[in-house]
Amino acid sequence: MIIVLKNQTTLQKREELIDWLRSKALDVHISEGQYHTVLGLVGDTGSIDTDMLEGLEIVEKVQRISEPFKKANRKFHEDDTVIETDTFTVGGGGFTLMAGPCSVESGEQLTGIAKAVKASGATMLRGGAFKPRTSPYDFQGLRADGIELLLEAKKETGLPIVTEIMNAQHLPLFEQVDMIQVGARNMQNFELLKELGRIDKPILLKRGLANTIKELLMSAEYIMAGGNEKVIFCERGIRTFETYTRNTLDLSAVAVLKELSHLPVIVDPSHATGVSRYVKPMALAAVAAGADGLMIEVHNDPAHALCDGPQSLTPAQFEDLAKTVFKVREALR
Amino acid sequence: MIIVLKNQTTLQKREELIDWLRSKALDVHISEGQYHTVLGLVGDTGSIDTDMLEGLEIVEKVQRISEPFKKANRKFHEDDTVIETDTFTVGGGGFTLMAGPCSVESGEQLTGIAKAVKASGATMLRGGAFKPRTSPYDFQGLRADGIELLLEAKKETGLPIVTEIMNAQHLPLFEQVDMIQVGARNMQNFELLKELGRIDKPILLKRGLANTIKELLMSAEYIMAGGNEKVIFCERGIRTFETYTRNTLDLSAVAVLKELSHLPVIVDPSHATGVSRYVKPMALAAVAAGADGLMIEVHNDPAHALCDGPQSLTPAQFEDLAKTVFKVREALR
Amino acid sequence: MIIVLKNQTTLQKREELIDWLRSKALDVHISEGQYHTVLGLVGDTGSIDTDMLEGLEIVEKVQRISEPFKKANRKFHEDDTVIETDTFTVGGGGFTLMAGPCSVESGEQLTGIAKAVKASGATMLRGGAFKPRTSPYDFQGLRADGIELLLEAKKETGLPIVTEIMNAQHLPLFEQVDMIQVGARNMQNFELLKELGRIDKPILLKRGLANTIKELLMSAEYIMAGGNEKVIFCERGIRTFETYTRNTLDLSAVAVLKELSHLPVIVDPSHATGVSRYVKPMALAAVAAGADGLMIEVHNDPAHALCDGPQSLTPAQFEDLAKTVFKVREALR
Amino acid sequence: MIIVLKNQTTLQKREELIDWLRSKALDVHISEGQYHTVLGLVGDTGSIDTDMLEGLEIVEKVQRISEPFKKANRKFHEDDTVIETDTFTVGGGGFTLMAGPCSVESGEQLTGIAKAVKASGATMLRGGAFKPRTSPYDFQGLRADGIELLLEAKKETGLPIVTEIMNAQHLPLFEQVDMIQVGARNMQNFELLKELGRIDKPILLKRGLANTIKELLMSAEYIMAGGNEKVIFCERGIRTFETYTRNTLDLSAVAVLKELSHLPVIVDPSHATGVSRYVKPMALAAVAAGADGLMIEVHNDPAHALCDGPQSLTPAQFEDLAKTVFKVREALR
């Protein structure tokens, strides 16, 4: 870390800062310039708050050289991480195709969709049991019953399941869930992340609506610091000024995450665009950008199930998408 | 609510939509234009998801006429809400001046600050016991011990206390806390909001970093729908492209919130700007904009307490700020 | 257009508004509801300012049903527009591959790059002569001399050229330029757009850094309203909170623009990401998303030409990119 | 400027970079750490492009220590600049109150408003003759005729006038205009800024909708570098995700600009909020934040002049605003 001091700094204040830094077990190298003094810190600066330093009256600028994330950092883990369980594998050159309805509605609905998407090549079943909704008056999901239905669909089709958690107290219900999703609004629910760091189950960590990639990496770090290193990133669109799409899918995040981290990256074009017509082009773009997998909303009867999201594909549309996805992957070999 | 249908809509799909809307106990008025058909819905449309409707293939646009928030809405509660407990009052023409350190560090520190800010006119003591931090390696607060120290400072000075909760399971620790703060990152932690809706204690709800005012109102609605109507809004800056300040204080939110809702509004210029030099001008601006109170970070010895935020004022600076705040309020009578 | 009136509206104010609307040659249909009165307008509402209406005290909401863009609108021009000149074609199922240096530096540099990129499949040569720079102290381009060098490279290689204009008074210099680029910072320089509407030459219109797709369409409309309908959109990244990339490439804009408009869409991953390592994955993603072409920065000797952008590829990297682009296009047939 | 090199850098590439930096007349101080090598540059780094450096493969981070703006920088001009002409003064402790209609409509309208606002304390008359509009089909202003009407109103009332320029070719029409405004959409129209740098007339430079304060300072630098140092900043709201207000007024920009620069700062709450009800609280907040003046939209007959902006005040509302503004200024002495 480098600290640039203002040139009107008094020696006393400077000494106080240097003493404090040394009390944190850091080596401090001082280099005096014509206009500025620069302090170079060597040692573990992970716990130093740059915002705090930048706010000090004598400090002009602070520049962190090392990244504050460690366990998620490719620098300390060169090879791609492959998440393997007895039911599925994510990363390692394979492709994970998660599909299913936004909300679990009934057993019949879910099993129907599960069978259809499996036939088209899906490798996991997704479905919401606990639903985060902006309004308390909106449908909040089938909750525990929804998880029951997911487990039944898993039994019937063999597809491993992924579903969202909103409250660490619900963890006992997720015992047999294959992958637990943390939604965008909970990406910085640090208390929840800490709890998920204590279990041994893959976590699909969605990027928050207005969060940077660095913040996403730091949230992965919360889970990994607790001992659970099975984290998978999910890019699902960020908030921008654009209104024709619900959010803006940031596909460059795939390239950035693959460079900075060794963890796998999944893309969710359904929630990102919020419009079923845009799901296929964005799914193909995600594959071309290097994603390790996709999460796609599929509903078996959108005509009658008005409550399903506008971003859902029919099973037939999903089949077409999956075929083209495999063709693009083939072209990129 | 108004739904504009595309002009190439088939009669059958239109009828399906109308039937579904009527099944939701809504009256549907149809008016046919040259290019579009418009459906006007009368009844309780609160639970209708406009995103879902906009995604339907036959729908061109959806326009909600009534606001989706009810209990927080001034339309149904014309008079300003005054939050009154046996220890303090917020709203109703009075001014709430919350002050204290970012993090509780020690009893001595806290009591010293509490006495100083009380002498300058503060009406509440703020201090962080549970600290939300982007990095798992940063100081996470004194937690339960921090709350103990706040309660001691309260006993010694008589100042009611406000402090942040991050996990509903910690609620028993907050029994004697006078006001519970929900931080920006938890504004849409709906599970936490629901729990806070079940207790009878004022909640200071901070606006999320990239959340709209409507979303803030909906989060208040989560708390109020559970029965706890003692909600106070806190504008604390939103994320923008500007980097000279940590966030951008949105003071027009004060005027908008006072118009749309009957609940009181507090402004936190310390976290918004992140720079102590900007706290006073922004505090005065907040008062001029009509805020019901301020939340200000104060630290008694910023020179030695490097860990305190750069946005902290010294007790002397706070005294100066408080005096000018009272002068501006006087001018606005 | 639909106007929802507040329910406490006096009859007189309502009549004034209706009279004014009728004076604009609009039919006004009135439908009274229990809580609101809704005015439906039929006729050419293009010149009605919705912001103005929404600001009127008696108005609750305004909803435009028709899009305010006409000439760029696919509704009035169903087939894809193909831009054809005697030197090149954009759109119509073909692929436009623009490549070249950020800034024109010398004849040798430019011709070297032009030959190399042509050999790899480029169909147009790009190069900056007039450079928009945030700082007045930064290199502003070779200006008129740069255009001379571009024309020489065109003569030598046969590649048509595209370069940016910043001032309508420079138009005489662009006489032999094949396509004129409007940069992101000039997307709403309406006086410049009007001048470009009066000439007969294809315009590459780049999306502004914080502009919506609708605003981009309206800027195309400025050019087209003047008579020049040869407009090509260019998505080049938008400003977001992310800092690992210079801007965020919004690839869903490709799908949205192709749906709303009949005009071709080009993607510029070099400026969007600002990092050469991310150019290839984003170029492939753009192709998969359905772009009609790419604009790629290529520099022949990045090692010694420090002034060239960090987003530049070497000719060898460009060759590799072009080959993979063609493979993905093949897979998508 | 400080450049941090990656630790796997080859000596040759490092030498190439250092040679190149020295060729730019910079002293390069090298300090080797365990993990990184840091280059400290001394000399005029104003023309070095940090984006370019950050893109180099061997560079980890670049940190500019000095600000890239010089003439606008308070470091080189400690005292506040006071803009004085024979008709008005801005800055220096006085208060500039600009008022008038959004668009000039007729002589009668304009003179009526001018007389009214002068009586209430306005010191300048504002009014749009050339209007930047998102749509080519919207009213574009009275243009040259509008300036004529402004000059007539000036003659009649003695109020100096400020109006917007959109095209440097129109400059001859602005000969007798007292202050020329550059609108938000032209803040980075560098060709226009350069032309305005060659004249001797105060320029009111509005902040772009999504521009940072640093970019605003750099645009002032464009004008000042040309020789015209009479620049006045205008904060008029930035684009955020909030929709209840048209833009978000960033009042902390006032404090930041006053600290970083010696130039005066004006605030425009009318365009920022877009809602007349919010103009007064935001005007008072701007005064409390330390603004040198306000720009307020006033229309003499909003009831019948439907085309005027929803953000306009009536002359009576303006009188009330002005009175309270003066009271707050009094309180802050």
Side-chain angles (χ1 to χ4, degrees):
Chain A
M1 187 183 285
I2 283 166
I3 303 176
V4 182
L5 302 183
K6 288 185 183 153
N7 55 2
Q8 67 274 55
T9 309
T10 67
L11 268 182
Q12 195 209 318
K13 292 210 162 184
R14 198 170 108 175
E15 286 314 308
E16 277 174 22
L17 174 60
I18 292 169
D19 288 352
W20 182 81
L21 290 166
R22 288 189 171 139
S23 78
K24 299 288 175 187
L26 296 169
D27 273 359
V28 183
H29 298 203
I30 305 166
S31 91
E32 312 249 5
Q34 198 179 348
Y35 297 112
H36 299 93
T37 299
V38 176
L39 307 182
L41 311 189
V42 177
D44 179 10
T45 59
S47 67
I48 303 292
D49 184 342
T50 55
D51 269 4
M52 180 275 287
L53 287 174
E54 278 199 335
L56 293 178
E57 230 173 275
I58 63 171
V59 171
E60 176 96 28
K61 288 266 168 74
V62 178
Q63 178 71 56
R64 198 181 269 288
I65 295 171
S66 328
E67 302 291 357
F69 47 98
K70 308 289 175 209
K71 299 213 163 200
N73 200 327
R74 193 181 277 278
K75 278 191 191 151
F76 311 121
H77 188 303
E78 263 188 42
D79 297 329
D80 280 357
T81 282
V82 183
I83 311 275
E84 274 192 290
T85 70
D86 32 332
T87 55
F88 68 90
T89 302
V90 178
F95 196 76
T96 304
L97 192 49
M98 304 166 173
C102 183
S103 295
V104 174
E105 293 166 25
S106 73
E108 199 187 355
Q109 168 230 29
L110 194 62
T111 313
I113 296 173
K115 285 180 180 166
V117 300
K118 190 183 179 186
S120 301
T123 61
M124 290 193 87
L125 176 65
R126 60 143 292 158
F130 292 91
K131 301 294 302 171
R133 306 302 305 263
T134 307
S135 165
Y137 310 121
D138 284 351
F139 176 54
Q140 310 271 319
L142 291 181
R143 303 173 68 94
D145 291 345
I147 292 191
E148 275 314 304
L149 294 176
L150 282 163
L151 293 174
E152 276 170 35
K154 175 186 175 179
K155 208 180 294 172
E156 202 142 340
T157 60
L159 282 179
I161 60 176
V162 50
T163 192
E164 178 166 352
I165 196 165
M166 290 176 64
N167 187 334
Q169 288 181 271
H170 300 156
L171 264 175
L173 297 169
F174 287 71
E175 198 93 349
Q176 294 174 65
V177 167
D178 298 87
M179 189 189 289
I180 299 181
Q181 174 180 316
V182 175
R185 281 169 193 77
N186 277 319
M187 191 199 92
Q188 292 195 318
N189 180 343
F190 303 121
E191 292 283 319
L192 176 60
L193 300 179
K194 281 181 191 169
E195 294 289 340
L196 297 177
R198 292 191 196 105
I199 63 172
D200 178 32
K201 205 184 269 295
I203 306 297
L204 184 72
L205 180 63
K206 289 198 151 186
R207 181 178 179 185
L209 285 159
N211 286 110
T212 61
I213 294 172
K214 187 180 277 180
E215 288 167 339
L216 176 60
L217 288 161
M218 292 312 295
S219 286
E221 201 72 18
Y222 257 99
I223 300 169
M224 297 173 89
N228 182 0
E229 305 205 352
K230 295 178 182 158
V231 179
I232 299 151
F233 295 116
C234 182
E235 162 62 35
R236 46 78 70 220
I238 53 175
R239 197 165 262 196
T240 68
F241 305 135
E242 185 49 53
T243 56
Y244 280 123
T245 46
R246 188 196 291 156
N247 294 120
T248 296
L249 189 65
D250 176 10
L251 285 179
S252 45
V254 176
V256 174
L257 284 168
K258 301 294 283 183
E259 179 180 68
L260 296 178
S261 178
H262 48 90
L263 298 170
V265 184
I266 299 287
V267 172
D268 176 351
S270 301
H271 279 87
T273 62
V275 180
S276 66
R277 300 183 300 281
Y278 305 149
V279 172
K280 184 181 167 187
M282 288 303 100
L284 299 177
V287 170
D292 295 295
L294 289 168
M295 180 174 245
I296 306 285
E297 264 188 42
V298 178
H299 198 287
N300 54 353
D301 193 1
H304 288 89
L306 279 159
C307 266
D308 196 55
Q311 66 259 22
S312 285
L313 302 186
T314 60
Q317 289 170 325
F318 177 72
E319 189 187 356
D320 169 55
L321 177 148
K323 274 188 191 156
T324 324
V325 159
F326 297 138
K327 273 163 70 179
V328 171
R329 274 185 61 78
E330 198 60 43
L332 291 171
R333 289 209 176 188
Chain B
M1 187 183 285
I2 282 168
I3 303 175
V4 182
L5 302 183
K6 288 185 185 154
N7 54 2
Q8 66 274 57
T9 309
T10 66
L11 269 181
Q12 195 208 319
K13 292 210 162 183
R14 199 170 108 177
E15 286 314 307
E16 277 175 23
L17 174 60
I18 292 169
D19 286 352
W20 182 81
L21 291 165
R22 288 190 172 140
S23 78
K24 301 286 175 187
L26 296 169
D27 273 0
V28 183
H29 297 202
I30 305 165
S31 89
E32 313 249 5
Q34 196 178 349
Y35 298 112
H36 300 92
T37 299
V38 177
L39 308 181
L41 310 189
V42 177
D44 179 10
T45 60
S47 67
I48 304 292
D49 185 342
T50 54
D51 270 4
M52 181 274 289
L53 286 175
E54 278 198 334
L56 293 179
E57 231 173 274
I58 63 171
V59 171
E60 176 96 28
K61 290 265 168 73
V62 178
Q63 179 71 57
R64 199 180 268 290
I65 295 172
S66 327
E67 301 291 358
F69 48 98
K70 309 288 174 207
K71 299 213 163 200
N73 200 327
R74 193 180 278 278
K75 277 192 192 150
F76 311 122
H77 187 304
E78 262 189 42
D79 296 329
D80 281 356
T81 282
V82 183
I83 311 276
E84 275 192 291
T85 70
D86 32 333
T87 55
F88 69 88
T89 302
V90 178
F95 196 75
T96 304
L97 193 48
M98 304 167 174
C102 182
S103 295
V104 174
E105 293 165 25
S106 73
E108 200 187 354
Q109 167 230 31
L110 194 63
T111 314
I113 296 172
K115 285 179 180 168
V117 299
K118 190 183 180 185
S120 301
T123 61
M124 290 193 86
L125 176 65
R126 60 143 292 157
F130 292 90
K131 301 294 302 172
R133 306 301 305 262
T134 307
S135 166
Y137 311 120
D138 284 352
F139 176 54
Q140 310 271 319
L142 291 181
R143 303 175 67 95
D145 290 348
I147 293 191
E148 275 314 304
L149 295 175
L150 282 163
L151 293 174
E152 277 171 34
K154 175 185 175 180
K155 208 180 293 172
E156 202 142 338
T157 61
L159 282 180
I161 59 176
V162 52
T163 192
E164 179 167 351
I165 195 165
M166 290 176 63
N167 187 332
Q169 288 181 273
H170 301 155
L171 265 175
L173 297 169
F174 287 71
E175 198 93 349
Q176 294 174 65
V177 167
D178 300 86
M179 189 188 290
I180 299 181
Q181 174 181 315
V182 175
R185 282 168 192 77
N186 277 318
M187 192 199 92
Q188 292 195 319
N189 180 342
F190 302 121
E191 292 283 319
L192 176 61
L193 300 179
K194 282 181 192 171
E195 294 288 340
L196 297 176
R198 291 191 195 105
I199 64 172
D200 179 32
K201 204 185 268 296
I203 307 296
L204 185 71
L205 180 64
K206 288 198 153 186
R207 180 178 179 186
L209 286 159
N211 285 111
T212 61
I213 294 172
K214 187 180 278 181
E215 288 168 338
L216 176 60
L217 289 161
M218 292 311 297
S219 286
E221 201 73 19
Y222 257 98
I223 301 169
M224 298 172 89
N228 182 0
E229 305 205 352
K230 295 178 182 159
V231 178
I232 299 151
F233 295 115
C234 182
E235 162 61 35
R236 47 77 72 220
I238 53 175
R239 197 165 261 197
T240 68
F241 305 134
E242 184 49 52
T243 56
Y244 280 123
T245 46
R246 188 195 292 157
N247 293 121
T248 296
L249 189 64
D250 176 11
L251 285 179
S252 45
V254 177
V256 174
L257 283 167
K258 302 293 283 183
E259 179 181 69
L260 296 179
S261 178
H262 48 91
L263 299 169
V265 184
I266 299 287
V267 172
D268 175 351
S270 300
H271 279 87
T273 62
V275 180
S276 66
R277 302 183 300 281
Y278 305 149
V279 172
K280 184 181 168 187
M282 288 303 99
L284 299 177
V287 170
D292 295 295
L294 289 167
M295 179 176 247
I296 307 284
E297 264 189 42
V298 178
H299 198 287
N300 54 354
D301 193 359
H304 288 89
L306 279 159
C307 267
D308 196 55
Q311 66 260 21
S312 284
L313 302 185
T314 60
Q317 289 169 326
F318 177 73
E319 188 186 357
D320 169 55
L321 177 148
K323 273 187 190 156
T324 324
V325 159
F326 297 138
K327 274 164 69 179
V328 171
R329 276 185 59 80
E330 199 60 43
L332 291 171
R333 285 201 183 198
Chain C
M1 186 183 285
I2 283 168
I3 303 175
V4 182
L5 302 183
K6 289 185 183 152
N7 55 3
Q8 65 274 58
T9 308
T10 66
L11 268 181
Q12 194 208 318
K13 292 210 162 185
R14 200 170 106 175
E15 285 315 307
E16 277 175 24
L17 174 60
I18 291 170
D19 287 352
W20 181 81
L21 290 165
R22 289 191 171 138
S23 78
K24 298 289 175 187
L26 296 169
D27 273 359
V28 182
H29 296 202
I30 305 166
S31 90
E32 313 250 5
Q34 196 178 350
Y35 297 112
H36 298 93
T37 299
V38 177
L39 307 182
L41 310 189
V42 177
D44 179 10
T45 60
S47 68
I48 304 292
D49 184 342
T50 55
D51 269 5
M52 180 275 287
L53 286 175
E54 278 199 334
L56 293 178
E57 231 173 275
I58 63 171
V59 171
E60 176 97 27
K61 288 267 167 72
V62 178
Q63 179 71 56
R64 200 181 268 289
I65 295 171
S66 327
E67 301 291 358
F69 48 98
K70 309 288 175 209
K71 300 213 162 200
N73 199 328
R74 193 181 278 278
K75 276 191 194 153
F76 311 121
H77 187 304
E78 264 189 40
D79 296 329
D80 280 357
T81 281
V82 183
I83 311 275
E84 274 192 291
T85 71
D86 32 332
T87 55
F88 68 88
T89 301
V90 177
F95 196 74
T96 303
L97 193 49
M98 305 167 174
C102 181
S103 295
V104 174
E105 292 167 24
S106 73
E108 199 185 355
Q109 167 230 30
L110 194 62
T111 313
I113 296 172
K115 285 180 181 168
V117 299
K118 190 183 178 186
S120 301
T123 61
M124 290 193 85
L125 177 64
R126 59 143 292 157
F130 293 91
K131 301 294 302 170
R133 306 301 305 263
T134 307
S135 167
Y137 310 122
D138 283 352
F139 176 53
Q140 311 272 319
L142 292 182
R143 301 174 68 94
D145 291 347
I147 292 190
E148 275 314 305
L149 294 175
L150 282 164
L151 293 175
E152 276 171 35
K154 175 186 175 179
K155 208 179 294 171
E156 202 141 340
T157 61
L159 283 179
I161 59 177
V162 51
T163 193
E164 178 167 351
I165 196 165
M166 289 175 64
N167 187 333
Q169 288 181 272
H170 300 156
L171 263 176
L173 297 168
F174 287 71
E175 198 93 349
Q176 294 173 66
V177 167
D178 299 87
M179 190 189 288
I180 299 180
Q181 174 179 316
V182 175
R185 281 169 193 77
N186 278 318
M187 192 199 91
Q188 292 194 318
N189 181 343
F190 302 121
E191 291 283 319
L192 176 61
L193 299 180
K194 281 181 193 170
E195 294 289 340
L196 297 176
R198 292 192 194 104
I199 64 173
D200 179 32
K201 205 184 269 295
I203 307 297
L204 185 72
L205 180 64
K206 288 197 152 188
R207 181 177 179 187
L209 286 159
N211 285 110
T212 61
I213 294 173
K214 188 181 277 181
E215 288 168 339
L216 176 60
L217 288 161
M218 292 311 297
S219 286
E221 201 72 19
Y222 256 99
I223 301 170
M224 297 173 90
N228 182 0
E229 305 206 352
K230 295 178 183 158
V231 178
I232 298 150
F233 295 116
C234 182
E235 163 61 35
R236 47 77 70 222
I238 53 175
R239 197 165 262 197
T240 68
F241 304 134
E242 184 48 54
T243 56
Y244 280 123
T245 47
R246 188 195 292 156
N247 294 121
T248 296
L249 189 64
D250 176 10
L251 285 179
S252 45
V254 177
V256 174
L257 283 168
K258 302 292 284 182
E259 179 181 70
L260 296 179
S261 178
H262 48 90
L263 297 170
V265 184
I266 300 287
V267 171
D268 175 351
S270 301
H271 279 86
T273 63
V275 179
S276 65
R277 300 183 300 282
Y278 305 149
V279 172
K280 185 180 167 187
M282 287 303 101
L284 299 178
V287 170
D292 295 294
L294 289 167
M295 179 175 246
I296 306 284
E297 265 189 42
V298 177
H299 198 287
N300 52 355
D301 193 0
H304 288 90
L306 279 159
C307 267
D308 196 54
Q311 67 258 23
S312 285
L313 301 186
T314 61
Q317 289 169 325
F318 177 72
E319 189 186 355
D320 169 54
L321 176 149
K323 272 186 192 159
T324 323
V325 159
F326 297 137
K327 273 163 71 179
V328 171
R329 275 185 60 78
E330 197 60 42
L332 291 171
R333 291 212 173 186
Chain D
M1 187 184 284
I2 283 167
I3 303 176
V4 182
L5 302 183
K6 289 185 182 152
N7 54 2
Q8 65 276 56
T9 309
T10 67
L11 269 180
Q12 194 209 317
K13 292 210 161 183
R14 197 171 109 175
E15 285 315 307
E16 277 175 23
L17 174 60
I18 291 169
D19 287 352
W20 181 80
L21 290 165
R22 288 189 171 139
S23 78
K24 299 287 174 187
L26 296 169
D27 274 359
V28 183
H29 297 202
I30 304 165
S31 91
E32 313 249 4
Q34 196 179 349
Y35 297 112
H36 298 93
T37 299
V38 177
L39 308 181
L41 310 189
V42 177
D44 179 10
T45 60
S47 67
I48 304 292
D49 185 343
T50 55
D51 269 4
M52 181 276 288
L53 286 174
E54 278 199 334
L56 293 178
E57 231 173 273
I58 63 171
V59 171
E60 175 97 27
K61 287 268 167 74
V62 178
Q63 179 71 56
R64 199 180 269 290
I65 295 171
S66 326
E67 302 291 359
F69 49 98
K70 309 288 174 207
K71 299 213 163 200
N73 199 328
R74 192 181 279 277
K75 276 189 193 153
F76 311 121
H77 187 304
E78 262 189 40
D79 296 330
D80 280 356
T81 282
V82 183
I83 311 275
E84 275 192 291
T85 71
D86 31 333
T87 54
F88 68 89
T89 301
V90 178
F95 197 75
T96 303
L97 193 48
M98 304 167 174
C102 181
S103 296
V104 174
E105 292 166 25
S106 73
E108 199 186 354
Q109 167 231 30
L110 194 62
T111 314
I113 296 172
K115 285 180 181 168
V117 298
K118 190 182 179 187
S120 301
T123 62
M124 290 193 86
L125 177 64
R126 59 143 292 157
F130 293 91
K131 301 295 302 171
R133 306 302 304 263
T134 307
S135 166
Y137 310 121
D138 283 352
F139 176 54
Q140 310 272 319
L142 291 182
R143 302 173 68 94
D145 291 347
I147 293 191
E148 275 315 304
L149 295 176
L150 282 163
L151 293 175
E152 276 171 35
K154 175 185 175 180
K155 208 180 293 172
E156 202 140 340
T157 61
L159 283 179
I161 60 177
V162 52
T163 192
E164 179 167 351
I165 196 165
M166 289 176 63
N167 187 333
Q169 287 180 273
H170 300 157
L171 264 175
L173 297 169
F174 287 72
E175 199 92 349
Q176 294 173 67
V177 167
D178 298 86
M179 189 189 290
I180 299 181
Q181 174 180 317
V182 175
R185 281 168 192 78
N186 278 317
M187 192 199 91
Q188 291 194 318
N189 181 343
F190 302 122
E191 292 283 319
L192 176 62
L193 299 179
K194 282 181 191 170
E195 293 290 340
L196 296 177
R198 291 191 195 106
I199 64 173
D200 179 33
K201 204 183 271 295
I203 307 296
L204 185 72
L205 180 63
K206 288 198 153 187
R207 181 178 179 186
L209 285 159
N211 286 110
T212 62
I213 295 173
K214 188 180 279 181
E215 288 168 339
L216 176 61
L217 287 161
M218 293 311 296
S219 286
E221 201 72 18
Y222 256 98
I223 301 170
M224 298 173 89
N228 182 1
E229 305 205 352
K230 295 179 182 156
V231 178
I232 299 150
F233 295 115
C234 181
E235 162 61 33
R236 46 78 70 222
I238 53 176
R239 197 165 261 197
T240 69
F241 305 135
E242 184 49 52
T243 55
Y244 280 123
T245 47
R246 188 195 292 156
N247 294 120
T248 296
L249 189 64
D250 176 11
L251 285 179
S252 45
V254 176
V256 174
L257 283 168
K258 302 293 285 183
E259 179 181 71
L260 297 178
S261 178
H262 48 89
L263 298 170
V265 184
I266 300 287
V267 172
D268 175 352
S270 301
H271 279 87
T273 61
V275 180
S276 65
R277 302 183 300 281
Y278 305 149
V279 172
K280 184 180 169 187
M282 288 304 101
L284 298 177
V287 169
D292 295 295
L294 289 168
M295 179 174 246
I296 306 284
E297 265 189 42
V298 178
H299 198 287
N300 53 354
D301 193 0
H304 288 89
L306 279 159
C307 267
D308 197 55
Q311 67 258 23
S312 284
L313 303 185
T314 60
Q317 289 169 325
F318 176 74
E319 189 186 357
D320 168 56
L321 176 149
K323 273 187 192 157
T324 324
V325 159
F326 298 137
K327 274 163 71 179
V328 171
R329 275 185 59 80
E330 198 60 42
L332 291 171
R333 291 216 170 182

